[in-house]
Every structure is written in C-alpha cells, then in structure tokens.
Amino acid sequence: MKTEVIPSHEYSSTVADEIVASINEVLEQKPRCSLCLSGGTTPAAIYRLLGLPPRVHEVQWQLVDLFWGDERFVPAEDPRNNARMVHDTLLHQFRTAPGPIAYPINTALSTAEEAALTYEGTLKQQGISGEGDAVFDIVLLGIGEDGHTASLFPHNPIPDSRLAFSCEHPTDGTSRISLTPTALFSAKQVYFLVTGANKSDMLGRILRGEGTAAEYPALHAAQALGNVIWFADSEASGAGGL
Ligand code: 6PG
C-alpha cells in the first residue's frame, strides 16, 4: 500500500486533482467511470473543489456514476446523511451543467436492512458484483480513530457473500448501511483520505499492519485486489511515524 503525505494546506486541492486524474484515466479506457464515495467530514472540502472551476470543467462528469460506501439510516434531509453532504458540496453545483448520475442509498425504506438489500440490487443492476471486471473503478474511504472504514466497525460481523449490509454505530447506535470488503476492496483503485492529528496513531498502526481486520476494519485494505493509496495530511502522518 502506497502512502502520500500532503501538507495540510494543500491537502484538499491535491487529492481533488488526483481524483480528477484518476477519473480521466478510467474514461480513456471505458465509456463510464464508477466512483464510490466516502461519507464523513474529511471529503467534504474535496467534493466542493471537484464541483467548482477549474476541476468541474476537467472531467466529463455526465460519464461518472456515483455510489456511496456507506450511509447513516436517517432521512435524506438529515444533516448526518452522507448523500445530503455530497449534494450540498458537489451535486448542487450541476444545476445547469450535465453532471454525474448519483445512486444514493435509499434511507426512506422501512429498515436499514431493507435499504442494504435494495442497494445491493442497485449495485448489481449497475454492473457491480465485486467479481472480475464488475468492480468499482475508484473507491474513496476514510478511517475512524477506532480503525473503522465506511461503516465496517471493530468486531462487527460482516455477512459473507453480501455487497451491502446493515449494522449499528457502536457508540451512537445509529443504524447504518455499509458496503462490504467484497464490494469496496475489489475496486481497481482505492484512495483512503485521512487528515488530522487525531487519526495519526490509528493510521500508523494500520500502515504498520498491527492488529487484525476484525479489530481495525480498515486493515481489510491489505487484501485489496487493486491499488490502494493512503492520502494523509501532514498532521495525520505526524505521530504515526510515517
Ligand atoms: C461515515 C464514513 C466514515 C468516515 C470516517 C472518517 O459515514 O462517517 O463513511 O467511515 O469516513 O468515520 O470520518 P471523518 O472524515 O468525519 O473523520
């Protein structure tokens, strides 16, 4: 796994440029690019830059299909909703220009498990099965201080042969929908986006391969089938001794 340390003040613009380059590389090879987005707060500034000049003009966004790596089972208008975060930062900027096709996780269904099963169907309809070439082109992920990624939480069983499943956040109890390692780490390119001094200890553990994927689910990345790049800002790379 490759690590890139970026000065904090250049982090969002540098990662946004990497994502633009990666999408364009995919679109040189295929008619559409599947981009699976991370939730949380770290990527918000990056998504905002992607929707503004110059980057909004550097990609044929109408050829990009957007998916979500996880979602909080809250209404679409809830400020905690990851799809709302992507709308407020990126998608709203395509009001007049042709933009990406978004496939958000439907949190208006009756249960998180129904939402997970429905999203699994959406992924398969869109040609994502986690096998062969039926994989995401690009997946963006964050990590928590406890080593979680997407909504894969420590010591939380992950059902076999699923692409998406429901679970609960270990501390606030919110129901979540998460893609599984099968869906996430079969991707051709995975970018972890990690900023802040509070992440440096966990980032260091993960990059040194300490612990297990059950303890630190971001370690599932060690079994990734494609390329994995860790984009860390200077604060996250500090105490971790990167
Ligand atoms: C979510 C994310 C989650 C996130 C990490 C880091 O829905 O919250 O999928 O995995 O990426 O918790 O979150 P921050 O970027 O807010 O630190």
Side-chain angles (χ1 to χ4, degrees):
M1 298 191 284
K2 185 180 167 195
T3 307
E4 284 201 26
V5 178
I6 304 165
S8 299
H9 66 283
E10 298 168 6
Y11 185 83
S12 295
S13 57
T14 302
V15 173
D17 288 337
E18 291 281 354
I19 293 168
V20 164
S22 206
I23 293 170
N24 286 333
E25 207 173 298
V26 170
L27 292 176
E28 282 170 13
Q29 312 291 327
K30 7 184 336 195
R32 297 192 69 78
C33 174
S34 56
L35 171 61
C36 184
L37 299 172
S38 170
T41 59
T42 301
I46 297 166
Y47 298 160
R48 194 169 286 113
L49 289 174
L50 291 172
L52 289 170
R55 298 175 186 85
V56 72
H57 304 309
E58 294 172 353
V59 172
Q60 289 182 283
W61 287 102
Q62 70 279 14
L63 302 179
V64 177
D65 296 319
L66 296 181
F67 300 88
W68 276 256
D70 75 330
E71 188 55 278
R72 295 85 180 273
F73 193 61
V74 294
E77 64 277 7
D78 187 303
R80 294 169 294 170
N81 184 283
N82 285 331
R84 172 176 164 171
M85 182 271 284
V86 173
H87 176 271
D88 292 350
T89 53
L90 173 60
L91 291 175
H92 78 98
Q93 303 192 59
F94 289 96
R95 275 191 304 275
T96 51
I101 299 178
Y103 296 93
I105 295 170
N106 182 354
T107 59
L109 296 171
S110 54
T111 65
E113 184 61 8
E114 187 185 358
L117 288 166
T118 301
Y119 203 59
E120 197 160 70
T122 301
L123 293 178
K124 290 175 181 172
Q125 274 168 6
Q126 295 308 316
I128 304 290
S129 69
E131 292 168 4
D133 279 340
V135 298
F136 289 120
D137 293 306
I138 306 164
V139 166
L140 307 179
L141 289 169
I143 62 167
E145 293 177 51
D146 61 354
H148 80 258
T149 191
S151 286
L152 304 173
F153 296 109
H155 306 295
N156 196 27
I158 299 167
D160 291 331
S161 71
R162 289 284 294 271
L163 296 177
F165 75 114
S166 62
C167 58
E168 283 188 4
H169 189 281
T171 51
D172 69 21
T174 313
S175 291
R176 298 273 189 114
I177 295 95
S178 183
L179 298 197
T180 59
T182 301
L184 295 169
F185 295 111
S186 54
K188 294 180 183 142
Q189 178 68 59
V190 175
Y191 291 151
F192 277 95
L193 314 178
V194 189
T195 61
N198 63 315
K199 302 282 178 76
S200 65
D201 177 63
M202 181 50 69
L203 180 59
R205 289 169 190 246
I206 289 167
L207 292 179
R208 291 190 297 271
E210 293 172 12
T212 65
E215 290 171 296
Y216 309 138
L219 275 173
H220 281 289
Q223 309 306 320
L225 301 181
N227 296 321
V228 178
I229 301 181
W230 293 78
F231 289 110
D233 76 349
S234 34
E235 287 183 10
S237 69
L242 300 187

